[in-house]
Amino acid sequence: GNAQAKKAAEAEEKRLAAIEAKEEAAERSAELARQRKEEAEEKRQAAAEAAQFKKEQQEAKRAEAAEAAQLKKEEQEAKRAEAAQAKAAQAEQTVKQAKPGATISLFGFGQKKPEDDEPAAGGGTTKQKSGKVLSAAPRGVPTISSWKENRDGSVSGFIFGSPNFEEGESVTTSPIVIDAADGVVVQTGSGSKYFLEPKGNAQAKKAAEAEEKRL
């Protein structure tokens, strides 16, 4: 009967060994599965990181491109502004170089000679007394009709008989050095002479009419 008991014990041992082997195999299988899962997770994470990096790179490139475009735009705007400024300066220069208005060119307005500015010894002005009263302008001297003397010593009115002006054109002389009076030939600091037509003359009427027409 011993032999049978021994056989039974061996059979039990084998069964236990088989169960153990099965359990070990199951554990190994589970371990492998876990490793595979971890590897897959790592790969996924690496892929996500790579995608994020790529996205960031693209965004950086886009931002760089946008910055470059903005810079280019600003440069173009600056160039345009510079060109406009240069054009404006050139236009101003052209205006300066252009023939000044007749009043300026004929009377040298604002270009007083130094002697005009120097007061006389007595502290008064350098104005001379008015000359002889005439009924008409001497030959070659333009007539100013409907004239009035301004605060700065200049005379305003309508000019006749001047090659530089249209008949009856409104003018203002530079300051005169001879007292203004009806029928007197006055002179400016630059030497220009004008006959101040007595008020109420026919020519004064003509000047007023000419001015009305022009307006």
Side-chain angles (χ1 to χ4, degrees):
N2 275 1
Q4 213 167 353
K6 208 176 180 184
K7 226 174 173 180
E10 278 173 13
E12 184 63 19
E13 264 178 40
K14 270 184 190 169
R15 203 166 59 81
L16 288 172
I19 289 169
E20 213 172 295
K22 210 175 178 182
E23 280 176 2
E24 270 180 27
E27 268 179 35
R28 256 205 309 279
S29 180
E31 180 69 24
L32 280 171
R34 197 172 69 248
Q35 276 178 0
R36 264 203 297 275
K37 199 179 173 187
E38 276 177 15
E39 276 172 19
E41 189 61 40
E42 276 173 20
K43 270 184 188 169
R44 233 196 335 271
Q45 211 170 330
E49 274 174 24
Q52 178 65 21
F53 181 66
K54 200 174 179 185
K55 194 181 171 190
E56 280 171 12
Q57 268 188 329
Q58 281 173 342
E59 276 174 13
K61 269 186 188 170
R62 254 203 302 277
E64 212 172 296
E67 211 173 303
Q70 179 65 21
L71 192 68
K72 200 173 180 186
K73 194 180 170 191
E74 280 170 14
E75 272 177 22
Q76 281 172 342
E77 276 173 12
K79 270 185 189 169
R80 259 202 298 274
E82 213 173 293
Q85 217 171 336
K87 205 172 179 186
Q90 197 178 348
E92 205 177 311
Q93 194 62 28
T94 308
V95 170
K96 278 182 188 168
Q97 284 169 358
K99 182 174 178 263
T103 307
I104 297 166
S105 62
L106 182 65
F107 302 121
F109 188 72
Q111 295 172 5
K112 285 196 267 180
K113 293 201 173 177
E115 59 265 26
D116 291 356
D117 297 333
E118 288 170 17
T125 63
T126 52
K127 259 193 190 180
Q128 301 162 21
K129 287 280 173 215
S130 55
K132 210 161 73 174
V133 175
L134 308 167
S135 58
R139 189 190 289 269
V141 176
T143 300
I144 293 180
S145 70
S146 302
W147 64 271
K148 63 168 187 187
E149 192 172 1
N150 301 312
R151 277 188 190 173
D152 63 354
S154 62
V155 170
S156 296
F158 302 97
I159 195 160
F160 294 87
S162 167
N164 302 297
F165 285 96
E166 286 178 30
E167 292 292 282
E169 191 170 339
S170 173
V171 295
T172 299
T173 70
S174 55
I176 57 172
V177 293
I178 295 172
D179 283 335
D182 277 340
V184 169
V185 173
V186 293
Q187 189 176 334
T188 66
S190 57
S192 304
K193 290 183 178 180
Y194 306 97
F195 173 67
L196 300 181
E197 184 183 56
K199 295 179 180 71
N201 274 23
Q203 211 161 1
K205 279 183 193 165
K206 227 155 84 185
E209 279 168 25
E211 180 65 10
E212 267 175 40
K213 273 184 198 164
R214 218 149 58 87
L215 295 172

